[in-house]
Amino acid sequence: MSDKNKNRSSADDALHSAYLHLMVAGRAAKMGGWYLDIVDRKVHWSAETAAIHGLPESFSPELKDAINYYAPEYREQIAAAVERCVQEGVSFDETLELLHADGHRVWVRAIGEAVKDGNGTVNRIHGAFQDISELMAAREESRALSERLMHTLENISDAFLVIDKNWCFGYLNSQAEKLLQKKREELLGKHIWTEYPAAVGTRFQEQYELAINEQLTVSFIEYYPPPLDHWFEVNAYPTPDGLAVYFRDVNERFRQEEALRVSEERFRLIALATNDVIWDWDLVKDTVWWNDSLLPVFGHDPENIEAGLESWTNRVHPSDLKAATDSVNAVMKSKSTNSWQHEYRFMHANGEPRVVIDRGYVMRNAKGKPIRMLGSIMDMTDSREMNDRLRQSQKMEAVGQLTGGVAHDFNNLLTVILGNAELLTEQLTDQQQLRMLAEMTATAAERGAELTNRLLAFARRQPLEPKQVNLNKLIQGMDNLLRRTLQENIDIETVYAGGLWLSEVDPGQLEGALLNLAINARDAMPDGGKLTIETANTLLDESYACHHDEVRPGQYVLISVSDTGAGMPTTVVSRAFEPFFTTKQMGKGSGLGLSMVYGFAKQSGGHIKIYSEVNEGTTVKLYLPRAVNSADPLYEGHLAPKTEGGSEKILIVEDDPLVRQHVSAQLKTLGYQVISCSNAEDALDVIMQLSDIDLLFTDIVMPGSMNGRQLAEATHKLRPAIKILFTSGYTENAIVHHGRLDRGVHLLNKPYRRQELAAKVRKVLDETG
């Protein structure tokens, strides 16, 4: 055999070997092999390549026929690549669309490489051929998703920007351009503190650095001076590459809230400072509000009188009623005045008529229609000689409509609403309709608090009070509650493990979580079924922890809650813990139940997992950490709180005037002596002056240089015997660390019922040591 033939044989062997390797690879990656014989101009395909074309394995088309299998718009491209490879030996790697034998299009990758003989002449092309349809589809899906995301960011009402790890702008939407007063082309790639130097040393820099360094989400409101001259509400989220920032202009909101605050404070001070009876008549709703002076001046309790104008007309002397109402109607119809004044006799609760001067002011809408009237009643019976001076007293300034955001702290509002609703419920025992309204108000306030608590739970911001809990006993204690919650056509089975470990968990929050799971199970079984609750000791090993987020390997106490309901598809299971996600009908669920359970489990150092089969049922497994800290108290079950009072002296420190007034009144009705302050500095002055204070009841977050925790520490140094009780509508790091209430600290969460307030205060006062 000549050297030339030997070389050709060696090359054939190498090519055949490579071809066999390609066949093996093709089975794993939808990849086949092929080669073109330059002499006969035929293309030879591997079985995988032929299958990608949808043609028989033995099919070997002419080159021109093989090219025609490509989509028309790609034929010229592949033909040119092959010809260049034949003529110049240039390898190619092309991405094209192929026409499958059944007519549909397939994205493929065609790779070719020239094979030369001993003289350097190309005598063959061989290569690989791969079906990349799935890859191209994934790329298109990713591109479309990215495009939708960018479109969303460009059209949201908030400004949005991205800062990279070098503190340079990486992206801005159009709203960010508007608020920052620069085009994105001017800012992209530029250092944020260089472009906006006035932010250096402010909360912008402080909070952004905190978010990145500590990997925390931060929210704050800060002012940026001219040329921006705006207050911004900012929410910043750490990302793997830097920081994502949402922000909005809140100048107008600040102006409105400040005007509303000043107006409310002025009205409140006037109502407290005067001995006159002040009233506020809402003509749209036909309701009349009276200040507390109605009771000492005329003997009528404003909490126990009619809600509408009857609260006034029923107490005007019958002989004076027509003249009084005619005068009011006259000022309502007047085109020239909004002021009203009339002298008449107002009936005292003891039956005595009192001579009064009633003054009011009519507020009209833009069309001149009366919508509100505010005024005051002065008892002139014993002081007619003061009439001239009283006629010169200032008219009360009109209060704007109380709409929109009237407070920063939702739970502060709920505290007042719930407390007053409770008080009304207790006092309206003989007026069932009004009592029902009061009970509805209390229920609505509790639902609002529950909504807030569920959001806090999902965010893992609840102050937990873990105890060593026997979960078998806790579930047994819930038996009656669960049976009342579920329909009679649902059977409940409990399977308790013997030798169950104690768990370190907040028992109250756990009961709420189990009740949520039971309600979800009930809703999944509208036609009845079976609910099974099981307990067990279990171990989550390293392997399990590696495959599940935020799971630490170790010993856990397991509670499984199973139902025989409709079950959930995987698409629903994957989103079940998202807040506000629900498959229930409108009004049937908030979408926060499972979110709350999830957040509670995670904050407790535990884990939660859902297993579900459509038409088979669902099992939720709640893993709670085994108790290892013997210092935690052993949970012995709930003790029914008693509404007991006392005579001790309590110092209340609360910056919200409504809450301060409400809590002071509640504690006074329980018999306590009450002193109240609006800030920590004033409270500290009182503590230094008085030595007989028994309890400091303080909010945590307050204006000024000292928060509630700092006040408590200063109090302990000055008066070690004073007991401390904190209250808060939101978890703060001052007394909560790693999601748990500091040991020895007492906290009463807002909002709270009167009974809860009484029980907690009494418990702290009675505590020894």
Side-chain angles (χ1 to χ4, degrees):
M1 181 183 294
S2 67
D3 289 341
K4 183 175 182 180
N5 288 337
K6 287 181 179 179
N7 290 337
R8 177 66 180 267
S9 175
S10 176
D12 287 347
D13 291 343
L15 180 63
H16 183 66
S17 176
Y19 178 70
L20 291 176
H21 281 88
L22 283 173
M23 289 179 64
V24 173
R27 295 188 183 99
K30 290 187 177 181
M31 178 180 286
W34 65 275
Y35 70 89
L36 169 65
D37 192 318
I38 302 300
V39 177
D40 61 12
R41 305 293 285 184
K42 279 193 172 184
V43 179
H44 300 272
W45 291 333
S46 69
E48 289 78 12
T49 301
I52 293 172
H53 284 76
L55 295 170
E57 179 178 346
S58 60
F59 194 71
S60 297
E62 298 282 344
L63 175 60
K64 67 178 187 311
D65 294 328
I67 288 174
N68 285 335
Y69 282 110
Y70 291 95
E73 62 269 28
Y74 293 101
R75 290 170 185 169
E76 184 176 340
Q77 175 184 340
I78 187 63
V82 172
E83 188 62 26
R84 194 179 311 114
C85 187
V86 171
Q87 299 299 328
E88 303 173 21
V90 178
S91 301
F92 62 86
D93 186 341
E94 303 288 342
T95 298
L96 320 98
E97 278 194 291
L98 182 74
L99 293 177
H100 192 273
D102 65 7
H104 79 273
R105 291 188 172 215
V106 180
W107 279 103
V108 297
R109 181 183 179 193
I111 303 172
E113 186 178 272
V115 178
K116 300 179 181 179
D117 61 16
N119 298 322
T121 301
V122 175
N123 60 13
R124 182 176 293 185
I125 298 175
H126 67 191
F129 198 79
Q130 185 178 16
D131 180 348
I132 60 171
S133 296
E134 292 181 359
L135 174 62
M136 295 300 285
R139 285 180 180 175
E140 175 59 23
E141 182 178 354
S142 176
R143 183 201 63 76
L145 179 61
S146 177
E147 187 176 285
R148 289 196 299 271
L149 175 61
M150 295 304 292
H151 181 268
T152 299
L153 290 175
E154 284 298 320
N155 288 279
I156 60 176
S157 59
D158 284 349
F160 176 77
L161 60 83
V162 174
I163 303 169
D164 65 24
K165 291 183 177 179
N166 296 318
W167 297 104
C168 294
F169 288 99
Y171 170 78
L172 303 90
N173 69 357
S174 56
Q175 186 65 11
E177 289 183 302
K178 178 180 177 182
L179 294 186
L180 296 180
Q181 299 179 12
K182 288 187 180 181
K183 293 292 185 183
R184 69 187 75 186
E185 294 78 11
E186 301 176 63
L187 294 175
L188 291 177
K190 301 292 183 62
H191 199 281
I192 182 173
W193 310 132
T194 301
E195 293 298 314
Y196 295 93
V200 175
T202 68
R203 294 190 73 202
F204 290 107
Q205 184 178 31
E206 171 193 321
Q207 293 294 308
Y208 287 176
E209 290 179 352
L210 176 67
I212 289 182
N213 295 338
E214 302 296 332
Q215 289 295 288
L216 296 173
T217 297
V218 297
S219 299
F220 61 94
I221 295 178
E222 182 61 294
Y223 174 75
Y224 193 96
L228 299 189
D229 190 23
H230 279 292
W231 283 94
F232 293 107
E233 182 179 359
V234 183
N235 294 279
Y237 308 85
T239 69
D241 301 318
L243 198 64
V245 182
Y246 291 87
F247 59 104
R248 61 172 66 109
D249 175 4
V250 291
N251 268 15
E252 180 61 20
R253 191 180 85 189
F254 257 48
R255 187 194 65 77
Q256 292 178 354
E257 289 178 350
E258 179 61 16
L260 182 60
R261 186 196 66 78
V262 171
S263 181
E264 286 182 327
E265 182 68 6
R266 187 173 294 142
F267 185 87
R268 188 187 68 84
L269 291 175
I270 292 174
L272 291 175
T274 183
N275 290 324
D276 294 350
V277 174
I278 296 180
W279 49 268
D280 181 354
W281 182 17
D282 186 332
L283 280 78
V284 177
K285 298 179 181 178
D286 191 26
T287 58
V288 180
W289 170 87
W290 301 85
N291 75 338
D292 292 339
S293 295
L294 185 64
L295 181 60
V297 176
F298 297 114
H300 301 290
D301 188 345
E303 302 292 348
N304 289 323
I305 61 176
E306 302 87 343
L309 188 60
E310 298 83 4
S311 62
W312 177 66
T313 57
N314 288 349
R315 286 160 182 83
V316 177
H317 193 284
S319 300
D320 298 341
L321 180 59
K322 185 177 186 304
T325 54
D326 286 348
S327 67
V328 171
N329 291 334
V331 76
M332 293 289 183
K333 297 175 181 178
S334 175
K335 301 295 184 182
S336 59
T337 183
N338 291 317
S339 298
W340 171 77
Q341 179 176 308
H342 191 72
E343 183 175 318
Y344 60 92
R345 288 169 294 177
F346 193 86
M347 303 303 296
H348 194 280
N350 61 11
E352 178 188 356
R354 307 289 291 182
V355 177
V356 300
I357 289 181
D358 202 344
R359 297 183 180 88
Y361 186 85
V362 178
M363 300 174 62
R364 305 177 188 272
N365 62 17
K367 297 181 179 179
K369 179 181 179 181
I371 58 172
R372 198 169 197 171
M373 189 174 182
L374 298 109
S376 64
I377 301 176
M378 181 177 293
D379 185 354
M380 301 299 296
T381 307
D382 300 326
S383 55
R384 292 302 301 251
E385 69 276 8
M386 298 179 61
N387 187 60
D388 290 340
R389 282 190 294 146
L390 292 174
R391 289 180 184 275
Q392 302 303 317
S393 64
Q394 289 186 332
K395 297 177 182 178
M396 190 177 67
E397 189 169 319
V399 179
Q401 291 187 351
L402 303 179
T403 58
V406 296
H408 295 292
D409 193 335
F410 187 50
N411 277 329
N412 275 352
L413 289 177
L414 290 175
T415 299
V416 179
I417 294 170
L418 183 58
N420 286 332
E422 279 190 295
L423 185 60
L424 285 172
T425 301
E426 294 173 2
Q427 295 181 350
L428 295 174
T429 55
D430 58 343
Q431 299 184 54
Q432 289 303 313
Q433 186 174 3
L434 294 179
R435 179 184 175 92
M436 185 182 303
L437 292 175
E439 291 174 345
M440 289 171 62
T441 302
T443 300
E446 288 182 326
R447 290 181 64 184
E450 180 183 3
L451 180 65
T452 304
N453 289 336
R454 287 186 174 188
L455 287 171
L456 289 175
F458 176 74
R460 311 181 200 181
R461 298 294 178 89
Q462 292 189 113
L464 299 180
E465 296 187 65
K467 293 180 173 61
Q468 297 186 69
V469 181
N470 183 318
L471 298 187
N472 284 347
K473 290 184 178 180
L474 183 141
I475 295 170
Q476 288 170 356
M478 292 183 66
D479 185 74
N480 288 336
L481 174 62
L482 292 174
R483 294 188 187 279
R484 289 196 305 269
T485 302
L486 305 182
Q487 301 101 311
E488 293 182 356
N489 58 357
I490 295 178
D491 295 327
I492 301 177
E493 180 182 359
T494 50
V495 182
Y496 300 115
L500 192 69
W501 298 326
L502 294 177
S503 177
E504 187 177 13
V505 68
D506 185 319
Q509 297 293 339
L510 175 58
E511 288 178 348
L514 290 177
L515 186 60
N516 268 297
L517 295 178
I519 290 172
N520 277 354
R522 177 199 67 190
D523 293 345
M525 299 183 290
D527 299 324
K530 182 178 181 181
L531 175 71
T532 305
I533 303 177
E534 302 176 71
T535 61
N537 297 327
T538 190
L539 174 70
L540 298 181
D541 58 19
E542 292 279 359
S543 175
Y544 185 92
C546 288
H547 292 87
H548 295 82
D549 292 337
E550 301 181 277
V551 176
R552 293 192 298 268
Q555 294 176 328
Y556 292 84
V557 183
L558 171 65
I559 302 177
S560 297
V561 180
S562 303
D563 65 62
T564 57
M568 296 180 285
T570 55
T571 53
V572 173
V573 172
S574 65
R575 299 186 61 193
F577 295 131
E578 294 180 13
F580 300 112
F581 173 77
T582 180
T583 58
K584 299 176 184 177
Q585 296 179 357
M586 184 69 70
K588 296 295 185 180
S590 66
L592 287 172
L594 284 176
S595 301
M596 181 275 283
V597 180
Y598 174 84
F600 161 70
K602 294 299 183 181
Q603 189 178 349
S604 299
H607 174 55
I608 186 169
K609 186 74 174 177
I610 298 178
Y611 302 88
S612 188
E613 293 283 345
V614 176
N615 298 324
E616 294 294 330
T618 299
T619 296
V620 179
K621 293 191 173 183
L622 185 60
Y623 298 84
L624 299 169
R626 180 182 181 181
V628 294
N629 187 356
S630 59
D632 281 336
L634 182 64
Y635 175 66
E636 299 294 348
H638 289 301
L639 298 177
K642 297 180 179 179
T643 310
E644 296 181 358
S647 59
E648 290 91 340
K649 183 174 289 186
I650 299 175
L651 174 58
I652 298 172
V653 189
E654 169 62 62
D655 63 296
D656 189 301
L658 292 177
V659 178
R660 187 169 64 250
Q661 181 181 357
H662 164 71
V663 176
S664 297
Q666 292 279 36
L667 291 175
K668 287 178 181 177
T669 63
L670 292 168
Y672 294 107
Q673 305 171 64
V674 176
I675 304 171
S676 63
C677 294
S678 62
N679 57 69
E681 289 79 4
D682 291 349
L684 203 56
D685 289 340
V686 172
I687 291 168
M688 288 190 287
Q689 294 172 20
L690 301 178
S691 60
D692 59 344
I693 296 174
D694 298 293
L695 174 69
L696 171 65
F697 184 35
T698 178
D699 198 359
I700 298 172
V701 181
M702 293 183 292
S705 60
M706 187 182 298
N707 63 25
R709 182 58 186 257
Q710 293 166 330
L711 172 61
E713 292 171 350
T715 300
H716 185 70
K717 292 179 181 178
L718 289 171
R719 311 283 189 195
I722 294 180
K723 305 293 180 63
I724 310 293
L725 174 57
F726 293 102
T727 184
S728 177
Y730 184 73
T731 304
E732 289 292 333
N733 292 332
I735 63 168
V736 177
H737 294 88
H738 308 295
R740 298 183 175 201
L741 196 64
D742 292 346
R743 194 174 303 281
V745 170
H746 296 287
L747 173 67
L748 181 60
N749 284 311
K750 298 176 182 176
Y752 43 78
R753 285 188 170 273
R754 180 170 178 267
Q755 185 182 44
E756 294 169 331
L757 171 65
K760 195 71 172 183
V761 168
R762 193 67 261 162
K763 176 183 178 183
V764 175
L765 284 170
D766 292 342
E767 191 175 72
T768 59

